[in-house]
Amino acid sequence: MTAIRLLLVDDDPLVRAGLSFMMGGADDIEIVGEAADGADVEALVDRTRPDVVLMDIRMPKVDGLTATERLRARADAPQVVVLTTFHADEQVLRALRAGAAGFVLKDTPPAEILAAVRRIASGDPVLSPTVTRQLMRHAVGTTADTRRTRARDRMAVLNDREREVAVAVGRGLANAEIATGLFMSVATVKTHVSRILAKLDLNNRVQIALLAYDAGLLEEDQEEH
């Protein structure tokens, strides 16, 4: 079994030491590097080729949001898991919009952080439906109308079936649950998700969920049911 290559980014040396001790003890995870600031991330990624970057949000020079945006703009981008102290934080939301595949709280139990890294490495987002809704509610603000119009314009390229799958992803459902609810195979669900990502130029399922929310599709789905 190939170990998951993990890069740790946090400006607190004690946090990095704790994460390194905790994650390094797992047989399927290899710590390939550490950074104290987002300014050092791209060079380290070039040298170490991690599968996953565990990224602190708040750092003194280049914050985790900026570092995430820079990484996810690359063709060979690793997955990013955001480290934060808040459940619903505007910077976390912005990092997810920039392409982070999920986030974990710094006080999360070690076993759950390990599980999160493994899930991200396997292609699954780390956001429960409850936390997703919490973040989405946090997104509502003065630019909501403009955001909705833009999101609806983007979603217009999807066909009806893709739109249904996008809404299901936005509700936090796994592929197997979507397949059952929409009477299709899991393989077909995966194909639809891949097409949605390509058509909308998105990085992952979290961004599908956020765009579906911005477009108001989740509200419409709740009204219908």
Side-chain angles (χ1 to χ4, degrees):
M1 179 178 62
T2 303
I4 299 165
R5 298 174 62 81
L6 180 66
L7 176 64
L8 303 176
V9 185
D10 196 295
D11 63 329
D12 188 333
L14 292 178
V15 171
R16 292 201 311 276
L19 289 170
S20 182
F21 177 78
M22 174 182 66
M23 311 295 274
D27 293 336
D28 60 339
I29 293 178
E30 177 187 0
I31 307 296
V32 296
E34 297 181 17
D37 195 89
D40 304 321
V41 170
E42 287 191 275
L44 261 178
V45 165
D46 288 337
R47 290 203 305 271
T48 62
R49 298 296 176 184
D51 300 306
V52 179
V53 178
L54 199 53
M55 181 91 73
D56 187 20
I57 280 285
R58 292 171 173 82
M59 290 178 285
K61 295 179 181 177
V62 175
D63 62 27
L65 170 63
T66 302
T68 297
E69 289 174 335
R70 290 175 179 174
L71 280 184
R72 294 304 299 173
R74 298 162 56 124
D76 57 346
Q79 297 293 340
V80 177
V81 185
V82 172
L83 275 172
T84 181
T85 54
F86 300 99
H87 281 280
D89 179 86
E90 181 63 27
Q91 286 188 302
V92 174
L93 188 67
R94 288 174 62 197
L96 295 173
R97 292 188 187 282
F103 75 92
V104 293
L105 299 177
K106 289 191 175 183
D107 59 357
T108 299
E112 292 183 24
I113 296 181
L114 284 168
V117 169
R118 290 175 179 130
R119 284 187 61 188
I120 290 293
S122 68
D124 292 327
V126 180
L127 281 180
S128 70
T130 300
V131 171
T132 302
R133 286 193 295 270
Q134 193 175 12
L135 278 167
M136 289 174 176
R137 283 196 299 270
H138 191 72
V140 177
T142 56
T143 60
D145 290 341
T146 300
R147 186 184 295 126
R148 174 158 297 191
T149 299
R150 290 175 179 172
R152 284 184 178 274
D153 288 344
R154 292 184 66 186
M155 296 291 284
V157 303
L158 303 182
N159 61 39
D160 290 343
R161 205 54 163 163
E162 290 164 347
R163 184 185 177 99
E164 289 177 331
V165 172
V167 170
V169 170
R171 290 171 54 206
L173 300 181
N175 286 340
E177 295 171 315
I178 297 173
T180 299
L182 296 180
F183 306 102
M184 62 177 71
S185 69
V186 172
T188 301
V189 173
K190 291 180 179 178
T191 298
H192 281 307
V193 170
S194 295
R195 287 175 179 167
I196 292 167
L197 291 171
K199 283 187 175 183
L200 299 177
D201 192 26
L202 300 176
N203 287 305
N204 55 46
R205 295 167 70 99
V206 174
Q207 289 185 319
I208 294 176
L210 290 170
L211 191 61
Y213 174 83
D214 285 347
L217 300 186
L218 302 187
E219 295 173 20
E220 294 173 3
D221 183 63
Q222 287 177 345
E223 291 173 359
E224 292 173 3
H225 297 85

